[in-house]
Amino acid sequence: MIKKEILLQLKNISVHYGGVKALDGVNLELDEGEIVALMGPNGAGKSTILKVIFGLVPLHSGKILWHQKEITPITYEVVQMGIAFVPQGRRVFSNLTIAENLEIGGFIVDNKKELKRRIEEVLDIFPVLKRKLKLKAGSLSGGEQQMLALARALMIDPKILLLDEPSLGLAPKVVKEVFNKIKEINERHKTTILVVEHNIKSLLDIVHRGYILDKGKIVFQATSNELRQSDILEKVFMGKLA
Ligand SMILES: Nc1ncnc2c1ncn2[C@@H]1O[C@H](COP(=O)(O)OP(=O)(O)O)[C@@H](O)[C@H]1O
Ligand SMILES: [Mg+2]
């Protein structure tokens, strides 16, 4: 079997907020084309992992490697490299139309024709948005806004998509639709996806493998099948991990 290329590697990274050790010696890697879950209780450091990759918080120690080369993430450069981030709470521009939101997502594309092509490509995955292009984003339902946030992130044609709690505040049926879209993005574009969720077992249906984070440390990593069968999630969430 051919080993897939490692795109991004976090090596023994720590992040501090003042006196708070948010991450403590985290090792994590993302390979080409995989969907990886990052799960753990509130305050575990999940969002901090995404933020440090996206250059939003500084490293205290450790290394980040992109294609085996050490980098210091700076947001604008990270976007140029092909990493997109959808933060928690689907912050779409409510007063702008869906089309305008997508154009903003493609801000690094300076060629008008290419911008148009990308919008069409992205809308292929989200027909519900295609029908509402001229509407204000604020008029969309929560699930549709999450779809728009995903679509907007895809406008840079990312190699890696970082998603922070895409299910937050959505009804179970809508969560399933969003997860299915995440899977479709991965299958169509071979996009590597790191998706943070608090404790949603249904996420395991779409991911290849996952990490469990607790108090700033990775306490478990396994394939989704192993995670489904293990009681590690319950243990972590019940605070029963030694
Ligand atoms: N800007 C900040 N300033 C100080 N402490 C922070 C800040 N952001 C996060 N933290 C703390 O860092 C830890 C990890 O936070 P976070 O990464 O948001 O966890 P999660 O996403 O898993 O809920 C928590 O203890 C949190 O309170
Ligand atoms: Mg968080």
Side-chain angles (χ1 to χ4, degrees), residues 21-55:
K21 266 193 193 173
L23 297 178
D24 185 8
V26 166
N27 290 296
L28 179 149
E29 68 172 58
L30 296 175
D31 297 350
E32 260 179 5
E34 61 177 355
I35 312 185
V36 177
L38 178 57
M39 300 172 100
N42 274 330
K46 305 180 298 297
S47 296
T48 301
I49 290 187
L50 302 189
K51 286 178 189 167
V52 79
I53 295 171
F54 207 62

PDB file of all heavy atoms in Angstrom, residues 21-55:
ATOM      1  N   LYS A  21      -2.450  26.778  30.448  1.00  0.00           N
ATOM      2  CA  LYS A  21      -1.855  25.881  29.454  1.00  0.00           C
ATOM      3  C   LYS A  21      -2.983  25.258  28.653  1.00  0.00           C
ATOM      4  O   LYS A  21      -3.585  24.269  29.069  1.00  0.00           O
ATOM      5  CB  LYS A  21      -1.118  24.745  30.170  1.00  0.00           C
ATOM      6  CG  LYS A  21       0.342  24.971  30.397  1.00  0.00           C
ATOM      7  CD  LYS A  21       0.972  23.630  30.807  1.00  0.00           C
ATOM      8  CE  LYS A  21       2.370  23.850  31.346  1.00  0.00           C
ATOM      9  NZ  LYS A  21       2.940  22.615  31.910  1.00  0.00           N
ATOM     10  N   ALA A  22      -3.291  25.827  27.500  1.00  0.00           N
ATOM     11  CA  ALA A  22      -4.420  25.320  26.721  1.00  0.00           C
ATOM     12  C   ALA A  22      -4.049  24.046  25.965  1.00  0.00           C
ATOM     13  O   ALA A  22      -4.872  23.149  25.809  1.00  0.00           O
ATOM     14  CB  ALA A  22      -4.918  26.391  25.760  1.00  0.00           C
ATOM     15  N   LEU A  23      -2.818  23.976  25.467  1.00  0.00           N
ATOM     16  CA  LEU A  23      -2.332  22.762  24.800  1.00  0.00           C
ATOM     17  C   LEU A  23      -0.993  22.390  25.409  1.00  0.00           C
ATOM     18  O   LEU A  23      -0.155  23.262  25.664  1.00  0.00           O
ATOM     19  CB  LEU A  23      -2.168  22.972  23.291  1.00  0.00           C
ATOM     20  CG  LEU A  23      -3.425  23.279  22.484  1.00  0.00           C
ATOM     21  CD1 LEU A  23      -3.064  23.497  21.015  1.00  0.00           C
ATOM     22  CD2 LEU A  23      -4.464  22.174  22.622  1.00  0.00           C
ATOM     23  N   ASP A  24      -0.818  21.101  25.617  1.00  0.00           N
ATOM     24  CA  ASP A  24       0.355  20.628  26.349  1.00  0.00           C
ATOM     25  C   ASP A  24       0.951  19.412  25.637  1.00  0.00           C
ATOM     26  O   ASP A  24       0.544  18.283  25.872  1.00  0.00           O
ATOM     27  CB  ASP A  24      -0.105  20.271  27.773  1.00  0.00           C
ATOM     28  CG  ASP A  24       1.050  19.893  28.668  1.00  0.00           C
ATOM     29  OD1 ASP A  24       2.208  20.042  28.241  1.00  0.00           O
ATOM     30  OD2 ASP A  24       0.792  19.440  29.800  1.00  0.00           O
ATOM     31  N   GLY A  25       1.858  19.678  24.692  1.00  0.00           N
ATOM     32  CA  GLY A  25       2.554  18.567  24.024  1.00  0.00           C
ATOM     33  C   GLY A  25       1.683  17.767  23.073  1.00  0.00           C
ATOM     34  O   GLY A  25       1.695  16.540  23.092  1.00  0.00           O
ATOM     35  N   VAL A  26       0.940  18.468  22.217  1.00  0.00           N
ATOM     36  CA  VAL A  26       0.034  17.780  21.283  1.00  0.00           C
ATOM     37  C   VAL A  26       0.760  17.335  20.011  1.00  0.00           C
ATOM     38  O   VAL A  26       1.504  18.103  19.404  1.00  0.00           O
ATOM     39  CB  VAL A  26      -1.148  18.718  20.906  1.00  0.00           C
ATOM     40  CG1 VAL A  26      -1.909  18.188  19.698  1.00  0.00           C
ATOM     41  CG2 VAL A  26      -2.086  18.896  22.099  1.00  0.00           C
ATOM     42  N   ASN A  27       0.543  16.074  19.642  1.00  0.00           N
ATOM     43  CA  ASN A  27       1.022  15.538  18.364  1.00  0.00           C
ATOM     44  C   ASN A  27      -0.190  15.171  17.529  1.00  0.00           C
ATOM     45  O   ASN A  27      -1.073  14.450  18.007  1.00  0.00           O
ATOM     46  CB  ASN A  27       1.857  14.274  18.584  1.00  0.00           C
ATOM     47  CG  ASN A  27       3.186  14.604  19.239  1.00  0.00           C
ATOM     48  OD1 ASN A  27       4.015  15.292  18.660  1.00  0.00           O
ATOM     49  ND2 ASN A  27       3.367  14.147  20.458  1.00  0.00           N
ATOM     50  N   LEU A  28      -0.227  15.672  16.301  1.00  0.00           N
ATOM     51  CA  LEU A  28      -1.373  15.379  15.435  1.00  0.00           C
ATOM     52  C   LEU A  28      -0.914  15.481  13.994  1.00  0.00           C
ATOM     53  O   LEU A  28      -0.066  16.311  13.678  1.00  0.00           O
ATOM     54  CB  LEU A  28      -2.477  16.398  15.753  1.00  0.00           C
ATOM     55  CG  LEU A  28      -3.803  16.407  15.016  1.00  0.00           C
ATOM     56  CD1 LEU A  28      -4.901  16.895  15.944  1.00  0.00           C
ATOM     57  CD2 LEU A  28      -3.766  17.290  13.790  1.00  0.00           C
ATOM     58  N   GLU A  29      -1.427  14.598  13.135  1.00  0.00           N
ATOM     59  CA  GLU A  29      -1.077  14.752  11.723  1.00  0.00           C
ATOM     60  C   GLU A  29      -2.298  14.567  10.836  1.00  0.00           C
ATOM     61  O   GLU A  29      -3.270  13.901  11.198  1.00  0.00           O
ATOM     62  CB  GLU A  29       0.033  13.778  11.317  1.00  0.00           C
ATOM     63  CG  GLU A  29      -0.367  12.329  11.318  1.00  0.00           C
ATOM     64  CD  GLU A  29       0.732  11.450  10.719  1.00  0.00           C
ATOM     65  OE1 GLU A  29       1.855  11.482  11.241  1.00  0.00           O
ATOM     66  OE2 GLU A  29       0.445  10.737   9.746  1.00  0.00           O
ATOM     67  N   LEU A  30      -2.232  15.246   9.705  1.00  0.00           N
ATOM     68  CA  LEU A  30      -3.303  15.151   8.721  1.00  0.00           C
ATOM     69  C   LEU A  30      -2.696  14.675   7.409  1.00  0.00           C
ATOM     70  O   LEU A  30      -1.750  15.280   6.895  1.00  0.00           O
ATOM     71  CB  LEU A  30      -3.954  16.528   8.508  1.00  0.00           C
ATOM     72  CG  LEU A  30      -4.673  17.131   9.711  1.00  0.00           C
ATOM     73  CD1 LEU A  30      -5.158  18.533   9.390  1.00  0.00           C
ATOM     74  CD2 LEU A  30      -5.837  16.246  10.151  1.00  0.00           C
ATOM     75  N   ASP A  31      -3.257  13.581   6.895  1.00  0.00           N
ATOM     76  CA  ASP A  31      -2.781  13.034   5.631  1.00  0.00           C
ATOM     77  C   ASP A  31      -3.688  13.495   4.500  1.00  0.00           C
ATOM     78  O   ASP A  31      -4.815  13.942   4.730  1.00  0.00           O
ATOM     79  CB  ASP A  31      -2.788  11.502   5.676  1.00  0.00           C
ATOM     80  CG  ASP A  31      -1.841  10.948   6.739  1.00  0.00           C
ATOM     81  OD1 ASP A  31      -1.063  11.739   7.289  1.00  0.00           O
ATOM     82  OD2 ASP A  31      -1.909   9.749   7.008  1.00  0.00           O
ATOM     83  N   GLU A  32      -3.195  13.331   3.289  1.00  0.00           N
ATOM     84  CA  GLU A  32      -3.975  13.703   2.105  1.00  0.00           C
ATOM     85  C   GLU A  32      -5.312  12.974   2.060  1.00  0.00           C
ATOM     86  O   GLU A  32      -5.355  11.752   2.205  1.00  0.00           O
ATOM     87  CB  GLU A  32      -3.197  13.306   0.864  1.00  0.00           C
ATOM     88  CG  GLU A  32      -2.474  14.443   0.236  1.00  0.00           C
ATOM     89  CD  GLU A  32      -1.690  13.994  -0.984  1.00  0.00           C
ATOM     90  OE1 GLU A  32      -1.783  12.825  -1.381  1.00  0.00           O
ATOM     91  OE2 GLU A  32      -0.992  14.847  -1.522  1.00  0.00           O
ATOM     92  N   GLY A  33      -6.382  13.741   1.881  1.00  0.00           N
ATOM     93  CA  GLY A  33      -7.669  13.134   1.575  1.00  0.00           C
ATOM     94  C   GLY A  33      -8.441  12.508   2.715  1.00  0.00           C
ATOM     95  O   GLY A  33      -9.457  11.863   2.488  1.00  0.00           O
ATOM     96  N   GLU A  34      -7.994  12.686   3.951  1.00  0.00           N
ATOM     97  CA  GLU A  34      -8.745  12.041   5.042  1.00  0.00           C
ATOM     98  C   GLU A  34      -9.623  13.038   5.798  1.00  0.00           C
ATOM     99  O   GLU A  34      -9.373  14.236   5.797  1.00  0.00           O
ATOM    100  CB  GLU A  34      -7.798  11.323   6.014  1.00  0.00           C
ATOM    101  CG  GLU A  34      -6.802  12.220   6.701  1.00  0.00           C
ATOM    102  CD  GLU A  34      -5.940  11.466   7.718  1.00  0.00           C
ATOM    103  OE1 GLU A  34      -6.176  10.261   7.957  1.00  0.00           O
ATOM    104  OE2 GLU A  34      -5.045  12.093   8.286  1.00  0.00           O
ATOM    105  N   ILE A  35     -10.665  12.482   6.443  1.00  0.00           N
ATOM    106  CA  ILE A  35     -11.477  13.281   7.366  1.00  0.00           C
ATOM    107  C   ILE A  35     -11.135  12.811   8.776  1.00  0.00           C
ATOM    108  O   ILE A  35     -11.199  11.619   9.073  1.00  0.00           O
ATOM    109  CB  ILE A  35     -12.996  13.088   7.168  1.00  0.00           C
ATOM    110  CG1 ILE A  35     -13.387  13.195   5.701  1.00  0.00           C
ATOM    111  CG2 ILE A  35     -13.778  14.105   7.995  1.00  0.00           C
ATOM    112  CD1 ILE A  35     -14.908  13.124   5.487  1.00  0.00           C
ATOM    113  N   VAL A  36     -10.748  13.746   9.605  1.00  0.00           N
ATOM    114  CA  VAL A  36     -10.301  13.422  10.956  1.00  0.00           C
ATOM    115  C   VAL A  36     -11.150  14.185  11.964  1.00  0.00           C
ATOM    116  O   VAL A  36     -11.378  15.384  11.814  1.00  0.00           O
ATOM    117  CB  VAL A  36      -8.805  13.800  11.123  1.00  0.00           C
ATOM    118  CG1 VAL A  36      -8.335  13.544  12.546  1.00  0.00           C
ATOM    119  CG2 VAL A  36      -7.938  13.037  10.132  1.00  0.00           C
ATOM    120  N   ALA A  37     -11.621  13.464  12.987  1.00  0.00           N
ATOM    121  CA  ALA A  37     -12.400  14.101  14.049  1.00  0.00           C
ATOM    122  C   ALA A  37     -11.469  14.514  15.174  1.00  0.00           C
ATOM    123  O   ALA A  37     -10.485  13.829  15.458  1.00  0.00           O
ATOM    124  CB  ALA A  37     -13.433  13.130  14.599  1.00  0.00           C
ATOM    125  N   LEU A  38     -11.796  15.637  15.789  1.00  0.00           N
ATOM    126  CA  LEU A  38     -11.089  16.061  16.993  1.00  0.00           C
ATOM    127  C   LEU A  38     -12.168  16.311  18.031  1.00  0.00           C
ATOM    128  O   LEU A  38     -12.952  17.250  17.910  1.00  0.00           O
ATOM    129  CB  LEU A  38     -10.284  17.335  16.688  1.00  0.00           C
ATOM    130  CG  LEU A  38      -9.518  17.973  17.834  1.00  0.00           C
ATOM    131  CD1 LEU A  38      -8.544  16.996  18.471  1.00  0.00           C
ATOM    132  CD2 LEU A  38      -8.748  19.191  17.331  1.00  0.00           C
ATOM    133  N   MET A  39     -12.247  15.406  19.006  1.00  0.00           N
ATOM    134  CA  MET A  39     -13.345  15.477  19.965  1.00  0.00           C
ATOM    135  C   MET A  39     -12.815  15.650  21.377  1.00  0.00           C
ATOM    136  O   MET A  39     -11.678  15.306  21.674  1.00  0.00           O
ATOM    137  CB  MET A  39     -14.200  14.210  19.870  1.00  0.00           C
ATOM    138  CG  MET A  39     -14.800  14.025  18.480  1.00  0.00           C
ATOM    139  SD  MET A  39     -15.607  12.425  18.283  1.00  0.00           S
ATOM    140  CE  MET A  39     -17.297  12.928  18.505  1.00  0.00           C
ATOM    141  N   GLY A  40     -13.682  16.141  22.244  1.00  0.00           N
ATOM    142  CA  GLY A  40     -13.281  16.315  23.642  1.00  0.00           C
ATOM    143  C   GLY A  40     -14.193  17.318  24.308  1.00  0.00           C
ATOM    144  O   GLY A  40     -14.898  18.071  23.638  1.00  0.00           O
ATOM    145  N   PRO A  41     -14.191  17.321  25.651  1.00  0.00           N
ATOM    146  CA  PRO A  41     -15.109  18.198  26.389  1.00  0.00           C
ATOM    147  C   PRO A  41     -14.796  19.689  26.209  1.00  0.00           C
ATOM    148  O   PRO A  41     -13.757  20.047  25.666  1.00  0.00           O
ATOM    149  CB  PRO A  41     -14.906  17.778  27.845  1.00  0.00           C
ATOM    150  CG  PRO A  41     -13.698  16.917  27.894  1.00  0.00           C
ATOM    151  CD  PRO A  41     -13.381  16.471  26.510  1.00  0.00           C
ATOM    152  N   ASN A  42     -15.686  20.528  26.688  1.00  0.00           N
ATOM    153  CA  ASN A  42     -15.458  21.970  26.663  1.00  0.00           C
ATOM    154  C   ASN A  42     -14.167  22.312  27.367  1.00  0.00           C
ATOM    155  O   ASN A  42     -13.885  21.776  28.426  1.00  0.00           O
ATOM    156  CB  ASN A  42     -16.601  22.689  27.391  1.00  0.00           C
ATOM    157  CG  ASN A  42     -17.748  22.954  26.451  1.00  0.00           C
ATOM    158  OD1 ASN A  42     -17.536  23.127  25.247  1.00  0.00           O
ATOM    159  ND2 ASN A  42     -18.957  22.956  26.981  1.00  0.00           N
ATOM    160  N   GLY A  43     -13.413  23.205  26.762  1.00  0.00           N
ATOM    161  CA  GLY A  43     -12.174  23.649  27.395  1.00  0.00           C
ATOM    162  C   GLY A  43     -11.000  22.718  27.175  1.00  0.00           C
ATOM    163  O   GLY A  43      -9.905  22.963  27.666  1.00  0.00           O
ATOM    164  N   ALA A  44     -11.206  21.633  26.400  1.00  0.00           N
ATOM    165  CA  ALA A  44     -10.123  20.661  26.172  1.00  0.00           C
ATOM    166  C   ALA A  44      -8.984  21.263  25.357  1.00  0.00           C
ATOM    167  O   ALA A  44      -7.832  20.817  25.458  1.00  0.00           O
ATOM    168  CB  ALA A  44     -10.678  19.428  25.462  1.00  0.00           C
ATOM    169  N   GLY A  45      -9.304  22.263  24.521  1.00  0.00           N
ATOM    170  CA  GLY A  45      -8.278  22.875  23.668  1.00  0.00           C
ATOM    171  C   GLY A  45      -8.515  22.640  22.184  1.00  0.00           C
ATOM    172  O   GLY A  45      -7.650  22.923  21.360  1.00  0.00           O
ATOM    173  N   LYS A  46      -9.700  22.149  21.850  1.00  0.00           N
ATOM    174  CA  LYS A  46     -10.001  21.809  20.446  1.00  0.00           C
ATOM    175  C   LYS A  46      -9.891  23.034  19.537  1.00  0.00           C
ATOM    176  O   LYS A  46      -9.210  23.012  18.510  1.00  0.00           O
ATOM    177  CB  LYS A  46     -11.421  21.204  20.329  1.00  0.00           C
ATOM    178  CG  LYS A  46     -11.652  20.002  21.220  1.00  0.00           C
ATOM    179  CD  LYS A  46     -13.055  19.437  21.070  1.00  0.00           C
ATOM    180  CE  LYS A  46     -14.192  20.378  21.460  1.00  0.00           C
ATOM    181  NZ  LYS A  46     -14.207  20.784  22.888  1.00  0.00           N
ATOM    182  N   SER A  47     -10.588  24.108  19.917  1.00  0.00           N
ATOM    183  CA  SER A  47     -10.555  25.315  19.073  1.00  0.00           C
ATOM    184  C   SER A  47      -9.136  25.871  19.001  1.00  0.00           C
ATOM    185  O   SER A  47      -8.723  26.389  17.953  1.00  0.00           O
ATOM    186  CB  SER A  47     -11.479  26.395  19.638  1.00  0.00           C
ATOM    187  OG  SER A  47     -12.814  25.956  19.611  1.00  0.00           O
ATOM    188  N   THR A  48      -8.408  25.751  20.090  1.00  0.00           N
ATOM    189  CA  THR A  48      -7.029  26.268  20.108  1.00  0.00           C
ATOM    190  C   THR A  48      -6.167  25.546  19.073  1.00  0.00           C
ATOM    191  O   THR A  48      -5.320  26.179  18.429  1.00  0.00           O
ATOM    192  CB  THR A  48      -6.425  26.139  21.528  1.00  0.00           C
ATOM    193  OG1 THR A  48      -7.258  26.879  22.433  1.00  0.00           O
ATOM    194  CG2 THR A  48      -5.010  26.674  21.579  1.00  0.00           C
ATOM    195  N   ILE A  49      -6.394  24.255  18.891  1.00  0.00           N
ATOM    196  CA  ILE A  49      -5.631  23.524  17.864  1.00  0.00           C
ATOM    197  C   ILE A  49      -5.899  24.131  16.481  1.00  0.00           C
ATOM    198  O   ILE A  49      -4.982  24.399  15.714  1.00  0.00           O
ATOM    199  CB  ILE A  49      -5.960  22.009  17.888  1.00  0.00           C
ATOM    200  CG1 ILE A  49      -5.384  21.386  19.163  1.00  0.00           C
ATOM    201  CG2 ILE A  49      -5.414  21.309  16.630  1.00  0.00           C
ATOM    202  CD1 ILE A  49      -5.474  19.880  19.257  1.00  0.00           C
ATOM    203  N   LEU A  50      -7.174  24.395  16.178  1.00  0.00           N
ATOM    204  CA  LEU A  50      -7.491  24.979  14.873  1.00  0.00           C
ATOM    205  C   LEU A  50      -6.893  26.382  14.760  1.00  0.00           C
ATOM    206  O   LEU A  50      -6.349  26.758  13.718  1.00  0.00           O
ATOM    207  CB  LEU A  50      -9.004  25.036  14.660  1.00  0.00           C
ATOM    208  CG  LEU A  50      -9.765  23.703  14.732  1.00  0.00           C
ATOM    209  CD1 LEU A  50     -11.215  23.897  14.288  1.00  0.00           C
ATOM    210  CD2 LEU A  50      -9.103  22.634  13.877  1.00  0.00           C
ATOM    211  N   LYS A  51      -6.993  27.146  15.845  1.00  0.00           N
ATOM    212  CA  LYS A  51      -6.507  28.531  15.805  1.00  0.00           C
ATOM    213  C   LYS A  51      -4.995  28.601  15.632  1.00  0.00           C
ATOM    214  O   LYS A  51      -4.477  29.477  14.954  1.00  0.00           O
ATOM    215  CB  LYS A  51      -6.917  29.273  17.082  1.00  0.00           C
ATOM    216  CG  LYS A  51      -8.395  29.626  17.094  1.00  0.00           C
ATOM    217  CD  LYS A  51      -8.764  30.308  18.392  1.00  0.00           C
ATOM    218  CE  LYS A  51     -10.271  30.479  18.516  1.00  0.00           C
ATOM    219  NZ  LYS A  51     -10.658  30.850  19.887  1.00  0.00           N
ATOM    220  N   VAL A  52      -4.282  27.680  16.254  1.00  0.00           N
ATOM    221  CA  VAL A  52      -2.816  27.731  16.137  1.00  0.00           C
ATOM    222  C   VAL A  52      -2.397  27.356  14.712  1.00  0.00           C
ATOM    223  O   VAL A  52      -1.475  27.952  14.141  1.00  0.00           O
ATOM    224  CB  VAL A  52      -2.130  26.881  17.239  1.00  0.00           C
ATOM    225  CG1 VAL A  52      -2.138  25.399  16.944  1.00  0.00           C
ATOM    226  CG2 VAL A  52      -0.687  27.346  17.446  1.00  0.00           C
ATOM    227  N   ILE A  53      -3.117  26.420  14.105  1.00  0.00           N
ATOM    228  CA  ILE A  53      -2.805  26.054  12.706  1.00  0.00           C
ATOM    229  C   ILE A  53      -3.077  27.245  11.793  1.00  0.00           C
ATOM    230  O   ILE A  53      -2.343  27.499  10.844  1.00  0.00           O
ATOM    231  CB  ILE A  53      -3.662  24.843  12.243  1.00  0.00           C
ATOM    232  CG1 ILE A  53      -3.316  23.574  13.037  1.00  0.00           C
ATOM    233  CG2 ILE A  53      -3.491  24.597  10.738  1.00  0.00           C
ATOM    234  CD1 ILE A  53      -4.265  22.403  12.786  1.00  0.00           C
ATOM    235  N   PHE A  54      -4.132  28.005  12.101  1.00  0.00           N
ATOM    236  CA  PHE A  54      -4.554  29.103  11.235  1.00  0.00           C
ATOM    237  C   PHE A  54      -3.837  30.418  11.577  1.00  0.00           C
ATOM    238  O   PHE A  54      -4.154  31.463  11.024  1.00  0.00           O
ATOM    239  CB  PHE A  54      -6.078  29.267  11.346  1.00  0.00           C
ATOM    240  CG  PHE A  54      -6.703  29.862  10.115  1.00  0.00           C
ATOM    241  CD1 PHE A  54      -6.636  29.208   8.891  1.00  0.00           C
ATOM    242  CD2 PHE A  54      -7.370  31.076  10.175  1.00  0.00           C
ATOM    243  CE1 PHE A  54      -7.212  29.763   7.751  1.00  0.00           C
ATOM    244  CE2 PHE A  54      -7.956  31.638   9.040  1.00  0.00           C
ATOM    245  CZ  PHE A  54      -7.870  30.975   7.829  1.00  0.00           C
ATOM    246  N   GLY A  55      -2.889  30.354  12.482  1.00  0.00           N
ATOM    247  CA  GLY A  55      -2.107  31.550  12.811  1.00  0.00           C
ATOM    248  C   GLY A  55      -2.841  32.562  13.665  1.00  0.00           C
ATOM    249  O   GLY A  55      -2.508  33.743  13.675  1.00  0.00           O
TER     250      GLY A  55
END
